[in-house]
Amino acid sequence: MNIARVNNFRMGAYAALAIGLINLRYQTGADGNLLKSFVLFGPGLALLLISFTQPGKMWLQSKTAAAIGIVCGGLLLAYSFLI
């Protein structure tokens, strides 16, 4: 088992979670802020939880998971700069 790849996914999940929560704090009082922030920290939280289960670890080591992670991570990063 290549645990380094799983750890990379965990660090990405922590980053998405942190960006979403920081966004939630800095946009206090803005309309629709919770939904905008949830788009960022929701996938991060889901990925973090998946990375601690055995089936999730096995899936995260596949090339499909890497491709999905790169695409979704890039889209979330772009979205975080746009909101």
Side-chain angles (χ1 to χ4, degrees):
M1 179 181 290
N2 186 1
I3 198 70
R5 182 176 278 188
V6 175
N7 284 337
N8 289 340
F9 277 107
R10 283 184 188 155
M11 292 303 118
Y14 287 136
L17 188 62
I19 290 169
L21 293 176
I22 288 168
N23 181 57
L24 184 64
R25 174 64 186 115
Y26 280 111
Q27 292 190 14
T28 301
D31 291 336
N33 181 32
L34 184 60
L35 182 60
K36 289 178 185 177
S37 295
F38 184 75
V39 170
L40 293 170
F41 72 77
L45 182 62
L47 181 59
L48 187 63
L49 294 175
I50 288 171
S51 73
F52 285 108
T53 65
Q54 192 60 32
K57 288 179 189 177
M58 297 299 285
W59 182 73
L60 290 175
Q61 294 178 27
S62 69
K63 289 186 179 195
T64 304
I68 291 170
I70 289 171
V71 170
C72 290
L75 290 173
L76 287 174
L77 182 64
Y79 178 75
S80 71
F81 283 110
L82 292 176
I83 59 170

